[in-house]
Structure formats: structure tokens, C-alpha cells
Amino acid sequence: MAIEQQRARLLVSCQDRPGVVANISSFLYNHEANIVQSDQYSTDPEGGMFFMRIEFAWQEEKTAFSEIKQAFSDLADAEHYQWRMEQASRKKRMAIFVSKENHCLSELLWKWRAGELYAEIPLVISNHPDNKEEVEAYGIPFFHIPSTKANRREAEDKAIELLHEHNIELIVLARYMQILSPTFVSTFPQQIINIHHSFLPAFIGANPYAKAFERGVKLIGATAHYVTDDLDEGPIIEQDVLRVNHRHTTADLRIAGRQIERIALARAVNWHLNDQLIVYNNKTIVF
């Protein structure tokens, strides 16, 4: 009987210096692992930051993944690496937050059912009941948590409790039209992805399509980014654009923009699930 090979992903960040690639390659070779894909980037070879993503195969029957991970932890401590190692076969647990508009939600659910988003979706949370039927048709529990200025703290506490209860690792704001508190954001650092219906940093805040119409823009865009305490200023993951003209009304821009929002958000979520992102200095490196 052939020994089945498992695959894992290793992300590393450190000060750029000679020997980093050799150290990591030698480590994997010494643990009978085979590199099947390797990408790297340096901000400056002379003392800059070095980033690396490696996908490797190993034989669990010969060396347990836990052993490889622990051994690399020891190496990383000695070499001052920031790192993350994930088994490719393990599905991350993702929650979706949505308000009334369902175009981003529908795109994510369709891609998930089609196997294009490799994740588990234990729940969807919304501050409106509008999308309950659609979500439950996919066999996913839907939680309606109304959120107003008067009860926002209570609503967030309930949401956080549900997220912890379901061991959520990624939160996707699929046009969730609520501003999250610093407490919520700090509870899930670099684990919240939002889609902003504008080509950031232009037209931040509310109603960007009306602002774009007033300026007579010839391109509209959408931006998927990690959420931070600074509204619409978190690390940008993906952006896309669409050409428009003077005949487009605000309503036309909004309709056209929905398609860009769906595409940009789905790409960003997929990259996160596939361990293709490293955050550095409010920017992302996308491998």
C-alpha cells in the first residue's frame, strides 16, 4: 500500500539576511518533507523584511505534522522568525456577517457549495432577518441579532459569544452595515475581512457611489481589506475596478458596483483561506 502524502503551508516573516532560505529548506529536508511550491519577497535585500510562503508535502506515517510544527517552532525562536504553519487539508471555520443586501453573501455561499471556498461555515449573523431563508436553504444556521445605538454593546457581546462557541477563525463582513467596536476588532485581530464599495482610499465612509457620481468618475471600484479600528483604513487585500461614463446615474453605479464587490471579496476570502496573505505595516503581501 502506497504511503499517502499530506500537504502543509508555511508562512515566514523576518529580517532579510543570508541563509534564511537555506535554513528553512534544510529543516524541511531533514524532516523528510518535500517543497512543492515556494514564493518569496524582500522589501530590501540589504536589511529589509523577508517574506516567504512554502507549500510542502510530507508522509504522516514517517513524521507526524505535530512533530514538524514543534521542531520548526524551536528553529523560529532561535532565528527570530514570525511564522504560521497550516495543514492544507484542514478547513478553516468561517462566519459571515450580512445586513440586507445579499449579493456578496450569495456569491460566497455559491462558491462554498461549489467547493471553490475551502472552509466550514457554521453560522451566518445578521442585524436584519431578510436573508434568513436563503442562508438556511444551504443548511447553515442563521442568527438574527438586531443592532442599534442603544443595544450595540449587547449585540456585539452576543455575536462574540456565538463566534467563540463555534470556534470561528475568520469573519467576513459581506456588506454588514455596522461599525464594529474596538473591543470586537481586537478580539479577532487580522481575522475580519470587509468589502468596501469604493476604490479606497478614495470615497471612504458612507454612500461612496453618490460621492463618485458627484465627482463624475470614469472608474468605480471595490476594496476588500482587513478590519482595524481605523474605519476603512485596514490592510488592503484586493481591489477591482469597472469603467463607467457620464450616463451612469448613482443607481447605475450601485448596480455595476455590486459585481465588483462580489469578485473582490470572494478573492480576498479565498486567499486568506489558502494561507496566501501576510500582513506587514498595514499592507498585505499576497502570494
Side-chain angles (χ1 to χ4, degrees):
M1 180 178 177
I3 296 177
E4 182 181 357
Q5 287 193 329
Q6 307 289 328
R7 288 204 176 189
R9 304 168 185 137
L10 171 63
L11 300 175
V12 175
S13 307
C14 64
Q15 288 292 319
D16 200 351
R17 59 187 184 273
V20 176
V21 175
N23 282 345
I24 295 173
S25 300
S26 297
F27 170 87
L28 293 173
Y29 173 78
N30 291 333
H31 287 79
E32 300 187 75
N34 180 43
I35 296 174
V36 294
Q37 184 177 351
S38 179
D39 297 283
Q40 61 194 63
Y41 166 70
S42 175
T43 61
D44 185 348
E46 301 294 330
M49 282 295 294
F50 177 80
F51 306 94
M52 189 174 197
R53 180 187 187 272
I54 288 178
E55 188 164 335
F56 65 89
W58 88 101
Q59 295 173 349
E60 182 73 18
E61 292 83 355
K62 290 185 176 181
T63 308
F65 178 75
S66 58
E67 293 178 24
I68 297 176
K69 194 169 184 178
Q70 181 56 56
F72 192 83
S73 177
D74 296 337
L75 173 65
D77 288 345
E79 297 291 339
H80 305 291
Y81 298 156
Q82 293 181 331
W83 65 286
R84 186 168 79 251
M85 188 183 293
E86 296 281 353
Q87 287 182 269
S89 61
R90 189 183 74 83
K91 291 183 178 181
K92 293 181 176 62
R93 297 175 64 80
M94 178 176 80
I96 302 174
F97 280 48
V98 65
S99 290
K100 290 185 176 182
E101 293 193 63
N102 70 337
H103 53 286
C104 288
L105 169 71
S106 298
E107 182 79 3
L108 294 172
L109 293 179
W110 185 89
K111 285 184 173 293
W112 171 74
R113 185 167 64 181
E116 296 181 27
L117 289 179
Y118 192 70
E120 294 181 14
I121 306 180
L123 75 165
V124 170
I125 293 176
S126 179
N127 57 327
H128 295 281
D130 302 53
N131 296 299
K132 177 181 173 66
E133 185 176 342
E134 177 182 2
V135 171
E136 292 184 343
Y138 283 86
I140 300 172
F142 180 91
F143 292 88
H144 175 215
I145 305 178
S147 179
T148 64
K149 289 183 179 180
N151 78 330
R152 187 159 298 165
R153 176 64 182 272
E154 179 184 346
E156 281 199 347
D157 287 346
K158 184 174 181 180
I160 290 173
E161 182 181 349
L162 282 169
L163 295 171
H164 285 322
E165 179 183 327
H166 289 85
N167 300 313
I168 296 302
E169 302 166 87
L170 173 63
I171 300 163
V172 182
L173 307 183
R175 293 304 303 274
Y176 182 65
M177 307 307 288
Q178 295 286 310
I179 297 175
L180 301 176
S181 71
T183 299
F184 190 103
V185 174
S186 64
T187 304
F188 304 96
Q190 295 178 18
Q191 293 175 282
I192 309 172
I193 295 178
N194 180 50
I195 184 64
H196 183 76
H197 42 307
S198 169
F199 195 78
L200 294 175
F203 307 127
I204 65 173
N207 209 2
Y209 290 122
K211 296 175 184 176
F213 174 76
E214 291 168 5
R215 289 297 306 275
V217 301
K218 306 309 180 202
L219 289 172
I220 60 170
T223 303
H225 63 94
Y226 285 116
V227 175
T228 64
D229 288 341
D230 297 320
L231 181 65
D232 297 332
E233 294 189 11
I236 292 172
I237 303 171
E238 172 63 335
Q239 296 180 292
D240 207 342
V241 294
L242 178 69
R243 182 165 291 281
V244 295
N245 59 44
H246 59 277
R247 290 186 173 86
H248 283 77
T249 65
T250 300
D252 293 333
L253 296 179
R254 186 173 290 109
I255 292 170
R258 288 173 185 157
Q259 178 64 16
I260 318 172
E261 294 165 26
R262 292 163 58 177
I263 292 171
L265 180 60
R267 283 180 187 154
V269 170
N270 190 50
W271 292 341
H272 181 102
L273 294 174
N274 291 338
D275 304 302
Q276 293 175 249
L277 302 172
I278 297 178
V279 176
Y280 175 68
N281 278 357
N282 206 44
K283 296 181 180 179
T284 59
I285 290 87
V286 183
F287 287 114

